[in-house]
Amino acid sequence: MQSNESEVATKSPTDEIVFAVFKMTKKANQNTIEIISTTKSNGKMKPEIERPIDSENYLTLEIFENDNLVQTKRVEHPLLKNVEYLNDNNQYVSKQVDLDDAEFFIRLQKKEGFTKVRIWETLKDTPKKELQTFKL
């Protein structure tokens, strides 16, 4: 029985998965973001499934390797959560909850070389703002 080489994920010795935890805080003029921790592990990620997010309020993460943009991700805005709950009439209702601070994490595939993440904030009826750039 022969193995099909196209099904086997090729992993170089420099492939790493990076888990980064961030904290976002609401401020009067501009929200702030800081990196709390990072964990690196050898390995190769499986393809991610695109999940629908709020199209008006979100963060955009631009991932650079050696100053080349290699990936762009959109993630749910950590301070603006849409929650569903059961009301008194036994019906599901959706509501937006505004938080003062929140933590969130990302995971990404890191290859050989220098990696940085630039984070942009998009809010309804306001221009897109760059929040911070982090080196991983």
Side-chain angles (χ1 to χ4, degrees), residues 61-73 108-111 114-116:
L61 290 78
E62 296 176 334
I63 298 141
F64 294 85
E65 289 181 3
N66 299 320
D67 291 325
N68 295 316
L69 179 65
V70 294
Q71 186 178 13
T72 302
K73 291 183 171 199
L108 57 97
Q109 184 72 56
K110 182 180 183 306
K111 302 243 185 244
F114 170 76
T115 300
K116 68 180 179 181

Side-chain angles (χ1 to χ4, degrees), residues 52-104:
I53 61 167
D54 181 357
S55 61
E56 296 178 332
N57 303 300
Y58 58 90
L59 300 180
T60 303
L61 290 78
E62 296 176 334
I63 298 141
F64 294 85
E65 289 181 3
N66 299 320
D67 291 325
N68 295 316
L69 179 65
V70 294
Q71 186 178 13
T72 302
K73 291 183 171 199
R74 280 185 14 170
V75 296
E76 181 180 23
H77 198 292
L79 301 180
L80 304 170
K81 297 286 188 181
N82 288 315
V83 296
E84 288 187 354
Y85 63 95
L86 207 53
N87 68 10
D88 295 336
N89 298 328
N90 216 20
Q91 297 173 324
Y92 282 102
V93 179
S94 183
K95 179 180 179 181
Q96 182 171 308
V97 178
D98 295 344
L99 303 171
D100 290 331
D101 60 57
E103 292 182 7
F104 69 100

Side-chain angles (χ1 to χ4, degrees), residues 13-31:
T14 58
D15 284 341
E16 291 181 315
I17 300 172
V18 178
F19 299 88
V21 180
F22 299 91
K23 181 175 183 180
M24 190 166 190
T25 305
K26 183 185 290 185
K27 299 287 182 179
N29 58 347
Q30 180 172 318
N31 295 328

